[in-house]
Structure formats: C-alpha cells, structure tokens
Amino acid sequence: MRLKKYTDFSLRVLLYTAANEQKVSIKDISDTFYISTEHIRKVVHQLSVNDYIKTTRGRNGGIVLARDPREINIGAVIRLMENDFYLVECFDGEHNQCVITPACKLRSVVGEAMKAFFNVLNQYTLADLMENKDELKELMQWNNEKN
C-alpha cells in the first residue's frame, strides 16, 4: 500500500507546524521540503477546513496548529487525506467487475491487513511523532539555511 503524495505532504505540514513555536508560512514549508507552494497551499486549505490548522492572511499571517498535537490522530489524518482505500477491485462495490468475487478470499485477507494498518496508525498522535522535536527542527532549519 502506498499513500498519495498529498497525504505525505499533509503529514509534513503538520510536523513542520508542530515543530515551530510561531506562525509558519506556506513558503517556509515549501522551501523546506522542496514542494511547490501550490501543492502546500492545497494541503493547508484542506487541513484548515478540517480544523487541524488555523490560517491567518496578511502581513502578520501564517499557519499554526488548531489543536494540541496530542489530539491529532495520525490514522484520522490519513483517512481524511486519502479518497479511497480500494486496494483491490472488489473493495469498490460500484465498479467491481472481478468474476471470482463471490468465491474469492482475497478481499477478506486484504481487508484484515488494512484494518491492522489503521489499528497501528490509530495508536499514534502528532505528539508521538514530535518526540524528537529538537532533531526535526534542526533538520528543517538546516534545510532552510541551504536555500
């Protein structure tokens, strides 16, 4: 299973925002991770609409977390950012044309694996990912200094 870049970028925005004690900009995030500002803008919009971050426009604007990092569940963020989890065709009841679906055991096996995947992700919050905050912050600042 592979998460979309959009989901990866969303997690990076949350990590970057959590690592900083002050407002951050889309440009800061974009420059740090070498991701286009337009991609980051889209991610920031969706995270904002879903109350993960707060955005302020203008000269003193920026991005901050809208919740305590302990309240941001990683599994929930991934489910929000991914638009489907049709790992095999038979997961999509509307478009499934596989002829062996009635007798196939693959669906239940893959479904069990996906459930285990989310059970692990649901155990972690953004705060758990920030346990090495100083190291992350140093790497992100070092990267910005290179630019």
Side-chain angles (χ1 to χ4, degrees), residues 6-91:
Y6 188 79
T7 304
D8 178 20
F9 297 167
S10 300
L11 294 168
R12 291 191 217 186
V13 166
L14 290 172
L15 284 164
Y16 188 91
T17 306
N20 289 277
E21 289 87 29
Q22 57 195 13
K23 291 178 184 174
V24 299
S25 72
I26 288 173
K27 182 168 177 13
D28 292 338
I29 299 167
S30 174
D31 289 347
T32 297
F33 295 113
Y34 303 106
I35 302 168
S36 81
T37 55
E38 205 46 47
H39 281 90
I40 298 299
R41 191 177 326 287
K42 290 175 187 176
V43 166
V44 163
H45 174 73
Q46 188 166 3
L47 289 171
S48 176
V49 167
N50 288 281
D51 297 321
Y52 285 104
I53 58 174
K54 292 182 199 172
T55 61
T56 310
R57 292 180 177 227
R59 186 172 178 192
N60 295 318
I63 302 162
V64 295
L65 289 179
R67 305 179 193 181
D68 185 293
R70 293 172 293 195
E71 297 174 8
I72 299 177
N73 181 274
I74 301 306
V77 171
I78 290 173
R79 277 190 299 282
L80 172 70
M81 296 302 172
E82 293 288 323
N83 58 0
D84 75 61
F85 288 98
Y86 299 147
L87 302 181
V88 288
E89 183 179 334
C90 57
F91 277 31

